Amino acid sequence: QPLLLLMHAQHAELHAAVLHHIHLITHHVPDLFAVEFKRFYCRVSDPPYLRRLKIDILTAVCDANNGAQIIEELSEYVHDRQLTVAQRAVLAIGRVGELTPVTDRAVTALVGVLDYFEARDLNQGHARDLRDAALIALADICRVRPESSVLSCVPRVLTIAARDRQLSPAALTAVASLLGGPAAVLDESPYAAEDWARRTADLDASSLTAFGHSATALMLKRPAEVKPWLGNLLENCIERPGTCYL
């Protein structure tokens, strides 16, 4: 309670020191502040570094009782003017979905982020960066919680990834890990991977390596669909500098 009272300090520096202490405590006793989670909602007057810290604390104190409300609040921060705050909020939604039973709510929120930015000019502002963050968060959720209801978002993820050739390396790696991992059971996965196998010129060394790994894993689960094009992909990996270790 004394720490929560000190949060009302007018000086941002003292406010930050208190929040850092609370964040440290939540690593060891995450449910200690779970009931008080609304105290960590961001205020308009908070500087970006405080907003980022509060997002981290909200992620740390989430549980089955407050997860849905925290996701709803984090969804508001996705539209923050500061890119680092908005990205932190998107990834935090995914993390809450991994840690609590409200996974479906997190998936719905992240798909909403994808649709929101896909409907706008991706070259405007930070739209592409936030779209990529949503792709990464969805891939992480699917890896941690591969239930059928969660995997229902994969076709949407694959469609967006196939349409835009300017995904960040991190987003491409996330899509690759999704194809070779939990999404391997879906009918469209081998064909989506084949599409990327034909677009190796669009991939940097790290992304190409990730798709090479995923295609090899996919081969073990779906050999009939993967075998015809896997050889060409691995050949391209071997010839590309930085991927020969694959």
PDB file of all heavy atoms in Angstrom, residues 12 16 32-33 57 59 66 72 77 91 111 125 130 133 156-157 164 175 189 215 231 235 239:
ATOM      1  N   ALA A  12       7.657  12.978 -12.035  1.00  0.00           N
ATOM      2  CA  ALA A  12       7.715  11.772 -12.866  1.00  0.00           C
ATOM      3  C   ALA A  12       8.875  10.870 -12.463  1.00  0.00           C
ATOM      4  O   ALA A  12       8.778   9.643 -12.555  1.00  0.00           O
ATOM      5  CB  ALA A  12       7.839  12.167 -14.343  1.00  0.00           C
ATOM      6  N   ALA A  16       8.499   7.054 -11.508  1.00  0.00           N
ATOM      7  CA  ALA A  16       9.218   6.007 -12.226  1.00  0.00           C
ATOM      8  C   ALA A  16       9.952   5.085 -11.261  1.00  0.00           C
ATOM      9  O   ALA A  16       9.961   3.857 -11.436  1.00  0.00           O
ATOM     10  CB  ALA A  16      10.197   6.636 -13.210  1.00  0.00           C
ATOM     11  N   LEU A  32       0.543 -10.167  -6.310  1.00  0.00           N
ATOM     12  CA  LEU A  32       0.451  -9.225  -5.197  1.00  0.00           C
ATOM     13  C   LEU A  32      -0.341  -7.980  -5.570  1.00  0.00           C
ATOM     14  O   LEU A  32      -1.114  -7.449  -4.762  1.00  0.00           O
ATOM     15  CB  LEU A  32       1.866  -8.833  -4.738  1.00  0.00           C
ATOM     16  CG  LEU A  32       1.941  -7.916  -3.507  1.00  0.00           C
ATOM     17  CD1 LEU A  32       1.320  -8.598  -2.294  1.00  0.00           C
ATOM     18  CD2 LEU A  32       3.399  -7.544  -3.211  1.00  0.00           C
ATOM     19  N   PHE A  33      -0.167  -7.502  -6.814  1.00  0.00           N
ATOM     20  CA  PHE A  33      -0.851  -6.289  -7.259  1.00  0.00           C
ATOM     21  C   PHE A  33      -1.965  -6.590  -8.264  1.00  0.00           C
ATOM     22  O   PHE A  33      -2.453  -5.677  -8.926  1.00  0.00           O
ATOM     23  CB  PHE A  33       0.158  -5.326  -7.897  1.00  0.00           C
ATOM     24  CG  PHE A  33       1.203  -4.816  -6.947  1.00  0.00           C
ATOM     25  CD1 PHE A  33       2.460  -5.391  -6.898  1.00  0.00           C
ATOM     26  CD2 PHE A  33       0.924  -3.763  -6.092  1.00  0.00           C
ATOM     27  CE1 PHE A  33       3.427  -4.928  -6.024  1.00  0.00           C
ATOM     28  CE2 PHE A  33       1.878  -3.281  -5.214  1.00  0.00           C
ATOM     29  CZ  PHE A  33       3.140  -3.868  -5.172  1.00  0.00           C
ATOM     30  N   ILE A  57       4.093  -3.722 -16.335  1.00  0.00           N
ATOM     31  CA  ILE A  57       3.499  -4.136 -15.058  1.00  0.00           C
ATOM     32  C   ILE A  57       2.132  -4.770 -15.287  1.00  0.00           C
ATOM     33  O   ILE A  57       1.801  -5.800 -14.678  1.00  0.00           O
ATOM     34  CB  ILE A  57       3.394  -2.931 -14.103  1.00  0.00           C
ATOM     35  CG1 ILE A  57       4.796  -2.445 -13.713  1.00  0.00           C
ATOM     36  CG2 ILE A  57       2.605  -3.309 -12.848  1.00  0.00           C
ATOM     37  CD1 ILE A  57       4.803  -1.179 -12.879  1.00  0.00           C
ATOM     38  N   THR A  59       1.217  -6.419 -17.819  1.00  0.00           N
ATOM     39  CA  THR A  59       1.471  -7.763 -18.334  1.00  0.00           C
ATOM     40  C   THR A  59       1.859  -8.706 -17.202  1.00  0.00           C
ATOM     41  O   THR A  59       1.441  -9.873 -17.179  1.00  0.00           O
ATOM     42  CB  THR A  59       2.596  -7.735 -19.379  1.00  0.00           C
ATOM     43  OG1 THR A  59       2.284  -6.761 -20.375  1.00  0.00           O
ATOM     44  CG2 THR A  59       2.760  -9.087 -20.045  1.00  0.00           C
ATOM     45  N   ASN A  66      -8.454 -10.698 -14.309  1.00  0.00           N
ATOM     46  CA  ASN A  66      -8.314  -9.358 -14.876  1.00  0.00           C
ATOM     47  C   ASN A  66      -7.813  -9.353 -16.321  1.00  0.00           C
ATOM     48  O   ASN A  66      -7.687  -8.301 -16.927  1.00  0.00           O
ATOM     49  CB  ASN A  66      -7.385  -8.504 -14.011  1.00  0.00           C
ATOM     50  CG  ASN A  66      -5.975  -9.087 -13.911  1.00  0.00           C
ATOM     51  OD1 ASN A  66      -5.515  -9.794 -14.802  1.00  0.00           O
ATOM     52  ND2 ASN A  66      -5.277  -8.788 -12.822  1.00  0.00           N
ATOM     53  N   GLU A  72      -8.371  -5.237 -22.979  1.00  0.00           N
ATOM     54  CA  GLU A  72      -9.195  -4.116 -23.471  1.00  0.00           C
ATOM     55  C   GLU A  72      -8.467  -2.792 -23.298  1.00  0.00           C
ATOM     56  O   GLU A  72      -8.490  -1.931 -24.187  1.00  0.00           O
ATOM     57  CB  GLU A  72     -10.521  -4.091 -22.720  1.00  0.00           C
ATOM     58  CG  GLU A  72     -11.496  -3.050 -23.218  1.00  0.00           C
ATOM     59  CD  GLU A  72     -12.835  -3.101 -22.507  1.00  0.00           C
ATOM     60  OE1 GLU A  72     -13.055  -4.052 -21.728  1.00  0.00           O
ATOM     61  OE2 GLU A  72     -13.656  -2.188 -22.727  1.00  0.00           O
ATOM     62  N   TYR A  77      -3.947   1.472 -26.132  1.00  0.00           N
ATOM     63  CA  TYR A  77      -2.589   2.000 -26.254  1.00  0.00           C
ATOM     64  C   TYR A  77      -1.970   1.691 -27.615  1.00  0.00           C
ATOM     65  O   TYR A  77      -0.924   2.249 -27.958  1.00  0.00           O
ATOM     66  CB  TYR A  77      -1.684   1.424 -25.157  1.00  0.00           C
ATOM     67  CG  TYR A  77      -2.211   1.600 -23.759  1.00  0.00           C
ATOM     68  CD1 TYR A  77      -1.836   0.725 -22.739  1.00  0.00           C
ATOM     69  CD2 TYR A  77      -3.085   2.625 -23.437  1.00  0.00           C
ATOM     70  CE1 TYR A  77      -2.302   0.867 -21.449  1.00  0.00           C
ATOM     71  CE2 TYR A  77      -3.581   2.777 -22.148  1.00  0.00           C
ATOM     72  CZ  TYR A  77      -3.184   1.902 -21.156  1.00  0.00           C
ATOM     73  OH  TYR A  77      -3.660   2.038 -19.880  1.00  0.00           O
ATOM     74  N   LEU A  91       2.549  -6.245 -28.334  1.00  0.00           N
ATOM     75  CA  LEU A  91       3.225  -7.452 -27.856  1.00  0.00           C
ATOM     76  C   LEU A  91       2.707  -7.873 -26.482  1.00  0.00           C
ATOM     77  O   LEU A  91       2.639  -9.072 -26.173  1.00  0.00           O
ATOM     78  CB  LEU A  91       4.744  -7.222 -27.805  1.00  0.00           C
ATOM     79  CG  LEU A  91       5.404  -6.969 -29.168  1.00  0.00           C
ATOM     80  CD1 LEU A  91       6.881  -6.620 -28.986  1.00  0.00           C
ATOM     81  CD2 LEU A  91       5.258  -8.172 -30.088  1.00  0.00           C
ATOM     82  N   VAL A 111      -6.018  -9.736 -34.122  1.00  0.00           N
ATOM     83  CA  VAL A 111      -6.561  -9.772 -35.488  1.00  0.00           C
ATOM     84  C   VAL A 111      -7.216  -8.431 -35.811  1.00  0.00           C
ATOM     85  O   VAL A 111      -7.123  -7.939 -36.947  1.00  0.00           O
ATOM     86  CB  VAL A 111      -7.561 -10.935 -35.650  1.00  0.00           C
ATOM     87  CG1 VAL A 111      -8.284 -10.839 -36.987  1.00  0.00           C
ATOM     88  CG2 VAL A 111      -6.838 -12.278 -35.540  1.00  0.00           C
ATOM     89  N   GLY A 125       2.867   6.751 -41.282  1.00  0.00           N
ATOM     90  CA  GLY A 125       3.134   6.614 -39.857  1.00  0.00           C
ATOM     91  C   GLY A 125       3.833   5.301 -39.518  1.00  0.00           C
ATOM     92  O   GLY A 125       4.770   4.877 -40.188  1.00  0.00           O
ATOM     93  N   LEU A 130       3.502  -1.660 -36.599  1.00  0.00           N
ATOM     94  CA  LEU A 130       2.520  -2.207 -35.669  1.00  0.00           C
ATOM     95  C   LEU A 130       1.858  -3.446 -36.248  1.00  0.00           C
ATOM     96  O   LEU A 130       1.537  -4.392 -35.514  1.00  0.00           O
ATOM     97  CB  LEU A 130       1.479  -1.138 -35.333  1.00  0.00           C
ATOM     98  CG  LEU A 130       2.054   0.086 -34.605  1.00  0.00           C
ATOM     99  CD1 LEU A 130       0.990   1.141 -34.396  1.00  0.00           C
ATOM    100  CD2 LEU A 130       2.651  -0.325 -33.264  1.00  0.00           C
ATOM    101  N   ALA A 133       4.267  -6.166 -35.562  1.00  0.00           N
ATOM    102  CA  ALA A 133       4.240  -6.546 -34.147  1.00  0.00           C
ATOM    103  C   ALA A 133       3.055  -7.470 -33.861  1.00  0.00           C
ATOM    104  O   ALA A 133       3.174  -8.428 -33.081  1.00  0.00           O
ATOM    105  CB  ALA A 133       4.159  -5.299 -33.269  1.00  0.00           C
ATOM    106  N   ARG A 156      -5.539 -15.957 -41.757  1.00  0.00           N
ATOM    107  CA  ARG A 156      -5.465 -14.493 -41.893  1.00  0.00           C
ATOM    108  C   ARG A 156      -4.018 -14.022 -41.865  1.00  0.00           C
ATOM    109  O   ARG A 156      -3.600 -13.162 -42.660  1.00  0.00           O
ATOM    110  CB  ARG A 156      -6.255 -13.843 -40.761  1.00  0.00           C
ATOM    111  CG  ARG A 156      -6.275 -12.317 -40.817  1.00  0.00           C
ATOM    112  CD  ARG A 156      -7.279 -11.827 -41.809  1.00  0.00           C
ATOM    113  NE  ARG A 156      -7.317 -10.380 -41.852  1.00  0.00           N
ATOM    114  CZ  ARG A 156      -6.964  -9.651 -42.901  1.00  0.00           C
ATOM    115  NH1 ARG A 156      -6.549 -10.233 -44.001  1.00  0.00           N
ATOM    116  NH2 ARG A 156      -7.047  -8.342 -42.873  1.00  0.00           N
ATOM    117  N   VAL A 157      -3.223 -14.579 -40.966  1.00  0.00           N
ATOM    118  CA  VAL A 157      -1.812 -14.218 -40.865  1.00  0.00           C
ATOM    119  C   VAL A 157      -1.083 -14.558 -42.163  1.00  0.00           C
ATOM    120  O   VAL A 157      -0.307 -13.758 -42.695  1.00  0.00           O
ATOM    121  CB  VAL A 157      -1.159 -14.947 -39.675  1.00  0.00           C
ATOM    122  CG1 VAL A 157       0.364 -14.773 -39.706  1.00  0.00           C
ATOM    123  CG2 VAL A 157      -1.713 -14.424 -38.364  1.00  0.00           C
ATOM    124  N   ASP A 164       2.077  -8.813 -48.572  1.00  0.00           N
ATOM    125  CA  ASP A 164       3.019  -7.708 -48.377  1.00  0.00           C
ATOM    126  C   ASP A 164       4.449  -8.242 -48.403  1.00  0.00           C
ATOM    127  O   ASP A 164       4.823  -9.087 -47.585  1.00  0.00           O
ATOM    128  CB  ASP A 164       2.752  -7.020 -47.036  1.00  0.00           C
ATOM    129  CG  ASP A 164       3.592  -5.762 -46.870  1.00  0.00           C
ATOM    130  OD1 ASP A 164       4.383  -5.451 -47.785  1.00  0.00           O
ATOM    131  OD2 ASP A 164       3.462  -5.100 -45.833  1.00  0.00           O
ATOM    132  N   VAL A 175       6.497 -15.751 -38.941  1.00  0.00           N
ATOM    133  CA  VAL A 175       5.636 -16.486 -39.871  1.00  0.00           C
ATOM    134  C   VAL A 175       6.257 -17.832 -40.220  1.00  0.00           C
ATOM    135  O   VAL A 175       5.560 -18.862 -40.289  1.00  0.00           O
ATOM    136  CB  VAL A 175       5.393 -15.654 -41.148  1.00  0.00           C
ATOM    137  CG1 VAL A 175       4.661 -16.480 -42.202  1.00  0.00           C
ATOM    138  CG2 VAL A 175       4.591 -14.394 -40.822  1.00  0.00           C
ATOM    139  N   SER A 189      -0.851 -24.686 -44.997  1.00  0.00           N
ATOM    140  CA  SER A 189       0.526 -24.398 -44.598  1.00  0.00           C
ATOM    141  C   SER A 189       1.570 -24.782 -45.644  1.00  0.00           C
ATOM    142  O   SER A 189       2.451 -23.974 -45.968  1.00  0.00           O
ATOM    143  CB  SER A 189       0.836 -25.077 -43.257  1.00  0.00           C
ATOM    144  OG  SER A 189       0.100 -24.462 -42.229  1.00  0.00           O
ATOM    145  N   ALA A 215      10.618 -25.330 -43.400  1.00  0.00           N
ATOM    146  CA  ALA A 215      10.282 -26.235 -44.501  1.00  0.00           C
ATOM    147  C   ALA A 215      10.774 -27.646 -44.215  1.00  0.00           C
ATOM    148  O   ALA A 215      10.093 -28.637 -44.529  1.00  0.00           O
ATOM    149  CB  ALA A 215      10.898 -25.717 -45.800  1.00  0.00           C
ATOM    150  N   GLY A 231      13.824 -29.151 -52.143  1.00  0.00           N
ATOM    151  CA  GLY A 231      15.191 -29.179 -52.664  1.00  0.00           C
ATOM    152  C   GLY A 231      15.633 -27.845 -53.208  1.00  0.00           C
ATOM    153  O   GLY A 231      16.767 -27.396 -52.957  1.00  0.00           O
ATOM    154  N   GLU A 235      18.659 -25.481 -51.754  1.00  0.00           N
ATOM    155  CA  GLU A 235      19.740 -25.101 -52.655  1.00  0.00           C
ATOM    156  C   GLU A 235      19.977 -23.598 -52.620  1.00  0.00           C
ATOM    157  O   GLU A 235      21.116 -23.128 -52.597  1.00  0.00           O
ATOM    158  CB  GLU A 235      19.412 -25.555 -54.078  1.00  0.00           C
ATOM    159  CG  GLU A 235      20.535 -25.294 -55.074  1.00  0.00           C
ATOM    160  CD  GLU A 235      20.210 -25.809 -56.462  1.00  0.00           C
ATOM    161  OE1 GLU A 235      19.142 -26.435 -56.630  1.00  0.00           O
ATOM    162  OE2 GLU A 235      21.018 -25.567 -57.385  1.00  0.00           O
ATOM    163  N   GLU A 239      23.408 -21.552 -51.322  1.00  0.00           N
ATOM    164  CA  GLU A 239      24.116 -20.606 -52.185  1.00  0.00           C
ATOM    165  C   GLU A 239      24.140 -19.190 -51.626  1.00  0.00           C
ATOM    166  O   GLU A 239      24.985 -18.387 -52.023  1.00  0.00           O
ATOM    167  CB  GLU A 239      23.462 -20.604 -53.572  1.00  0.00           C
ATOM    168  CG  GLU A 239      23.621 -21.909 -54.328  1.00  0.00           C
ATOM    169  CD  GLU A 239      22.880 -21.903 -55.646  1.00  0.00           C
ATOM    170  OE1 GLU A 239      22.121 -20.928 -55.887  1.00  0.00           O
ATOM    171  OE2 GLU A 239      23.048 -22.850 -56.429  1.00  0.00           O
TER     172      GLU A 239
END
